[in-house]
PDB file of all heavy atoms in Angstrom:
ATOM      1  N   SER A 108      74.152   3.311  22.233  1.00  0.00           N
ATOM      2  CA  SER A 108      74.979   2.208  22.697  1.00  0.00           C
ATOM      3  C   SER A 108      76.030   2.841  23.587  1.00  0.00           C
ATOM      4  O   SER A 108      76.787   3.697  23.146  1.00  0.00           O
ATOM      5  CB  SER A 108      75.617   1.479  21.515  1.00  0.00           C
ATOM      6  OG  SER A 108      76.435   0.421  21.999  1.00  0.00           O
ATOM      7  N   GLY A 109      76.038   2.471  24.880  1.00  0.00           N
ATOM      8  CA  GLY A 109      76.857   3.178  25.857  1.00  0.00           C
ATOM      9  C   GLY A 109      76.245   4.533  26.154  1.00  0.00           C
ATOM     10  O   GLY A 109      75.070   4.770  25.845  1.00  0.00           O
ATOM     11  N   CYS A 110      77.012   5.430  26.761  1.00  0.00           N
ATOM     12  CA  CYS A 110      76.500   6.750  27.131  1.00  0.00           C
ATOM     13  C   CYS A 110      77.678   7.691  27.342  1.00  0.00           C
ATOM     14  O   CYS A 110      78.684   7.298  27.934  1.00  0.00           O
ATOM     15  CB  CYS A 110      75.678   6.649  28.424  1.00  0.00           C
ATOM     16  SG  CYS A 110      74.901   8.214  28.907  1.00  0.00           S
ATOM     17  N   PRO A 111      77.549   8.929  26.854  1.00  0.00           N
ATOM     18  CA  PRO A 111      78.665   9.870  27.021  1.00  0.00           C
ATOM     19  C   PRO A 111      78.669  10.567  28.384  1.00  0.00           C
ATOM     20  O   PRO A 111      79.673  11.170  28.753  1.00  0.00           O
ATOM     21  CB  PRO A 111      78.416  10.901  25.916  1.00  0.00           C
ATOM     22  CG  PRO A 111      76.928  10.908  25.761  1.00  0.00           C
ATOM     23  CD  PRO A 111      76.458   9.502  26.054  1.00  0.00           C
ATOM     24  N   LEU A 112      77.546  10.515  29.108  1.00  0.00           N
ATOM     25  CA  LEU A 112      77.483  11.225  30.390  1.00  0.00           C
ATOM     26  C   LEU A 112      78.215  10.374  31.414  1.00  0.00           C
ATOM     27  O   LEU A 112      78.260   9.159  31.303  1.00  0.00           O
ATOM     28  CB  LEU A 112      76.031  11.462  30.792  1.00  0.00           C
ATOM     29  CG  LEU A 112      75.191  12.167  29.727  1.00  0.00           C
ATOM     30  CD1 LEU A 112      73.769  12.396  30.230  1.00  0.00           C
ATOM     31  CD2 LEU A 112      75.829  13.471  29.311  1.00  0.00           C
ATOM     32  N   GLN A 113      78.755  11.036  32.417  1.00  0.00           N
ATOM     33  CA  GLN A 113      79.617  10.288  33.331  1.00  0.00           C
ATOM     34  C   GLN A 113      79.016  10.211  34.711  1.00  0.00           C
ATOM     35  O   GLN A 113      79.740  10.380  35.693  1.00  0.00           O
ATOM     36  CB  GLN A 113      80.978  10.966  33.384  1.00  0.00           C
ATOM     37  CG  GLN A 113      81.566  11.216  32.002  1.00  0.00           C
ATOM     38  CD  GLN A 113      82.747  10.320  31.724  1.00  0.00           C
ATOM     39  OE1 GLN A 113      83.774  10.436  32.372  1.00  0.00           O
ATOM     40  NE2 GLN A 113      82.599   9.401  30.790  1.00  0.00           N
ATOM     41  N   CYS A 114      77.718   9.968  34.810  1.00  0.00           N
ATOM     42  CA  CYS A 114      77.086   9.908  36.135  1.00  0.00           C
ATOM     43  C   CYS A 114      77.790   8.833  36.959  1.00  0.00           C
ATOM     44  O   CYS A 114      77.947   7.689  36.511  1.00  0.00           O
ATOM     45  CB  CYS A 114      75.602   9.596  35.991  1.00  0.00           C
ATOM     46  SG  CYS A 114      74.736  10.796  34.944  1.00  0.00           S
ATOM     47  N   THR A 115      78.185   9.205  38.163  1.00  0.00           N
ATOM     48  CA  THR A 115      79.063   8.311  38.933  1.00  0.00           C
ATOM     49  C   THR A 115      78.327   7.115  39.530  1.00  0.00           C
ATOM     50  O   THR A 115      78.955   6.172  39.984  1.00  0.00           O
ATOM     51  CB  THR A 115      79.745   9.076  40.083  1.00  0.00           C
ATOM     52  OG1 THR A 115      78.708   9.673  40.884  1.00  0.00           O
ATOM     53  CG2 THR A 115      80.670  10.147  39.564  1.00  0.00           C
ATOM     54  N   PHE A 116      76.976   7.172  39.533  1.00  0.00           N
ATOM     55  CA  PHE A 116      76.204   6.083  40.139  1.00  0.00           C
ATOM     56  C   PHE A 116      75.663   5.114  39.092  1.00  0.00           C
ATOM     57  O   PHE A 116      74.924   4.190  39.412  1.00  0.00           O
ATOM     58  CB  PHE A 116      75.042   6.654  40.965  1.00  0.00           C
ATOM     59  CG  PHE A 116      74.252   7.710  40.208  1.00  0.00           C
ATOM     60  CD1 PHE A 116      73.279   7.342  39.309  1.00  0.00           C
ATOM     61  CD2 PHE A 116      74.531   9.062  40.390  1.00  0.00           C
ATOM     62  CE1 PHE A 116      72.575   8.300  38.597  1.00  0.00           C
ATOM     63  CE2 PHE A 116      73.837  10.024  39.679  1.00  0.00           C
ATOM     64  CZ  PHE A 116      72.851   9.645  38.776  1.00  0.00           C
ATOM     65  N   CYS A 117      76.009   5.323  37.832  1.00  0.00           N
ATOM     66  CA  CYS A 117      75.420   4.517  36.752  1.00  0.00           C
ATOM     67  C   CYS A 117      76.485   3.706  36.036  1.00  0.00           C
ATOM     68  O   CYS A 117      77.520   4.230  35.619  1.00  0.00           O
ATOM     69  CB  CYS A 117      74.711   5.431  35.757  1.00  0.00           C
ATOM     70  SG  CYS A 117      73.959   4.527  34.398  1.00  0.00           S
ATOM     71  N   LEU A 118      76.197   2.436  35.894  1.00  0.00           N
ATOM     72  CA  LEU A 118      77.157   1.512  35.291  1.00  0.00           C
ATOM     73  C   LEU A 118      77.348   1.766  33.796  1.00  0.00           C
ATOM     74  O   LEU A 118      78.432   1.548  33.258  1.00  0.00           O
ATOM     75  CB  LEU A 118      76.639   0.087  35.517  1.00  0.00           C
ATOM     76  CG  LEU A 118      77.653  -1.032  35.635  1.00  0.00           C
ATOM     77  CD1 LEU A 118      78.703  -0.738  36.688  1.00  0.00           C
ATOM     78  CD2 LEU A 118      76.942  -2.334  35.969  1.00  0.00           C
ATOM     79  N   THR A 119      76.280   2.218  33.124  1.00  0.00           N
ATOM     80  CA  THR A 119      76.390   2.439  31.674  1.00  0.00           C
ATOM     81  C   THR A 119      77.502   3.437  31.350  1.00  0.00           C
ATOM     82  O   THR A 119      78.151   3.338  30.305  1.00  0.00           O
ATOM     83  CB  THR A 119      75.053   2.947  31.094  1.00  0.00           C
ATOM     84  OG1 THR A 119      74.005   2.102  31.545  1.00  0.00           O
ATOM     85  CG2 THR A 119      75.065   2.922  29.578  1.00  0.00           C
ATOM     86  N   ALA A 120      77.713   4.387  32.272  1.00  0.00           N
ATOM     87  CA  ALA A 120      78.734   5.414  32.052  1.00  0.00           C
ATOM     88  C   ALA A 120      80.094   4.783  31.753  1.00  0.00           C
ATOM     89  O   ALA A 120      80.903   5.348  31.018  1.00  0.00           O
ATOM     90  CB  ALA A 120      78.833   6.317  33.274  1.00  0.00           C
ATOM     91  N   GLN A 121      80.325   3.600  32.318  1.00  0.00           N
ATOM     92  CA  GLN A 121      81.636   2.992  32.164  1.00  0.00           C
ATOM     93  C   GLN A 121      81.905   2.503  30.749  1.00  0.00           C
ATOM     94  O   GLN A 121      83.045   2.234  30.388  1.00  0.00           O
ATOM     95  CB  GLN A 121      81.786   1.859  33.176  1.00  0.00           C
ATOM     96  CG  GLN A 121      81.374   2.348  34.565  1.00  0.00           C
ATOM     97  CD  GLN A 121      82.037   1.614  35.689  1.00  0.00           C
ATOM     98  OE1 GLN A 121      82.564   0.531  35.525  1.00  0.00           O
ATOM     99  NE2 GLN A 121      82.002   2.217  36.869  1.00  0.00           N
ATOM    100  N   LEU A 122      80.847   2.390  29.938  1.00  0.00           N
ATOM    101  CA  LEU A 122      81.061   1.997  28.540  1.00  0.00           C
ATOM    102  C   LEU A 122      81.538   3.182  27.703  1.00  0.00           C
ATOM    103  O   LEU A 122      82.127   3.008  26.643  1.00  0.00           O
ATOM    104  CB  LEU A 122      79.754   1.466  27.927  1.00  0.00           C
ATOM    105  CG  LEU A 122      79.194   0.136  28.416  1.00  0.00           C
ATOM    106  CD1 LEU A 122      77.825  -0.112  27.796  1.00  0.00           C
ATOM    107  CD2 LEU A 122      80.147  -0.999  28.069  1.00  0.00           C
ATOM    108  N   GLY A 123      81.226   4.406  28.141  1.00  0.00           N
ATOM    109  CA  GLY A 123      81.440   5.563  27.289  1.00  0.00           C
ATOM    110  C   GLY A 123      80.427   5.538  26.151  1.00  0.00           C
ATOM    111  O   GLY A 123      79.622   4.603  26.051  1.00  0.00           O
ATOM    112  N   LEU A 124      80.464   6.556  25.289  1.00  0.00           N
ATOM    113  CA  LEU A 124      79.528   6.537  24.158  1.00  0.00           C
ATOM    114  C   LEU A 124      80.118   5.712  23.029  1.00  0.00           C
ATOM    115  O   LEU A 124      81.228   5.966  22.584  1.00  0.00           O
ATOM    116  CB  LEU A 124      79.235   7.958  23.653  1.00  0.00           C
ATOM    117  CG  LEU A 124      78.320   7.987  22.412  1.00  0.00           C
ATOM    118  CD1 LEU A 124      76.933   7.424  22.722  1.00  0.00           C
ATOM    119  CD2 LEU A 124      78.215   9.386  21.832  1.00  0.00           C
ATOM    120  N   LEU A 125      79.392   4.705  22.577  1.00  0.00           N
ATOM    121  CA  LEU A 125      79.832   3.935  21.412  1.00  0.00           C
ATOM    122  C   LEU A 125      79.239   4.586  20.171  1.00  0.00           C
ATOM    123  O   LEU A 125      79.937   5.050  19.308  1.00  0.00           O
ATOM    124  CB  LEU A 125      79.477   2.465  21.603  1.00  0.00           C
ATOM    125  CG  LEU A 125      80.158   1.924  22.892  1.00  0.00           C
ATOM    126  CD1 LEU A 125      79.620   0.584  23.329  1.00  0.00           C
ATOM    127  CD2 LEU A 125      81.675   1.852  22.730  1.00  0.00           C
TER     128      LEU A 125
END
Side-chain angles (χ1 to χ4, degrees):
S108 179
C110 184
L112 306 182
Q113 309 251 294
C114 303
T115 56
F116 48 82
C117 180
L118 210 53
T119 310
Q121 311 207 342
L122 291 173
L124 177 64
L125 301 167

